[in-house]
């Protein structure tokens, strides 16, 4: 999947996530998605880097990095909790969509119950 497709898939998926909002807090090259003020994904469109950075459970991150060439440590993030999905690699769109939903649900699960827009245990697209 090329970067354009990765961008379109990310935007489409995140638009379906309740209370998810996008902003550019760092610079125009960084599109950050948050739920209730907590970040779960970031598209990087910098000259030297074009990738999607996602919050991932540490145990899942280690397995994904071993299985896929296109999943690496998170760019400019905590390497244990964040992973990058690189364009033009072996990562399929279905996996990216699932990772976005999982990242969103992980952040929602960490919110106080009263602030959760969905039940993370049952939410899915």
């Amino acid at each position: 999947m090329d970067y354009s497709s990765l961008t379109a898939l990310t935007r489409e998926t995140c638009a379906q996530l309740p209370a998810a909002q996008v902003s550019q807090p760092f610079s125009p090259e960084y599109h950050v998605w948050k739920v209730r003020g907590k970040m779960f994904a970031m598209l990087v469109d910098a000259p030297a880097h074009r990738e999607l950075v996602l919050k991932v459970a540490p145990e899942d991150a280690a397995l994904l990095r071993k299985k896929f060439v296109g999943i690496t440590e998170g760019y400019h993030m905590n390497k244990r909790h964040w992973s990058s999905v690189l364009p033009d690699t072996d990562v399929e769109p279905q996996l990216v969509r699932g990772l976005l939903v999982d990242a969103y649900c992980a952040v929602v699960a960490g919110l106080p119950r009263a602030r959760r827009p969905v039940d993370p245990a049952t939410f899915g697209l």
Side-chain angles (χ1 to χ4, degrees):
M1 168 171 39
D2 63 14
Y3 184 75
S4 177
S5 299
L6 181 62
T7 299
L9 177 62
T10 299
R11 290 180 187 281
E12 173 191 311
T13 302
C14 290
Q16 297 175 31
L17 301 173
Q21 296 182 321
V22 64
S23 65
Q24 295 172 302
F26 309 120
S27 73
E29 293 91 14
Y30 296 86
H31 300 270
V32 174
W33 278 269
K34 295 180 180 182
V35 58
R36 303 284 195 243
K38 302 286 185 178
M39 185 173 145
F40 66 91
M42 176 175 65
L43 265 174
V44 180
D45 190 11
H49 295 283
R50 297 181 103 190
E51 58 198 65
L52 171 64
V53 184
L54 299 157
K55 187 164 185 78
V56 180
E59 59 277 3
D60 294 339
L63 292 172
L64 288 165
R65 290 176 195 155
K66 284 181 184 177
K67 186 172 181 178
F68 297 97
V69 172
I71 298 180
T72 63
E73 293 178 335
Y75 173 68
H76 279 306
M77 304 297 274
N78 179 309
K79 308 303 184 213
R80 187 164 180 255
H81 296 279
W82 293 84
S83 291
S84 288
V85 176
L86 307 175
D88 300 316
T89 60
D90 59 341
V91 183
E92 296 291 325
Q94 287 177 297
L95 177 59
V96 173
R97 187 174 177 83
L99 289 171
L100 283 163
V101 173
D102 288 349
Y104 170 84
C105 287
V107 171
V108 169
L111 295 171
R113 287 191 193 278
R115 297 198 64 219
R116 293 178 183 173
V118 297
D119 179 354
T122 60
F123 181 76
L125 292 179

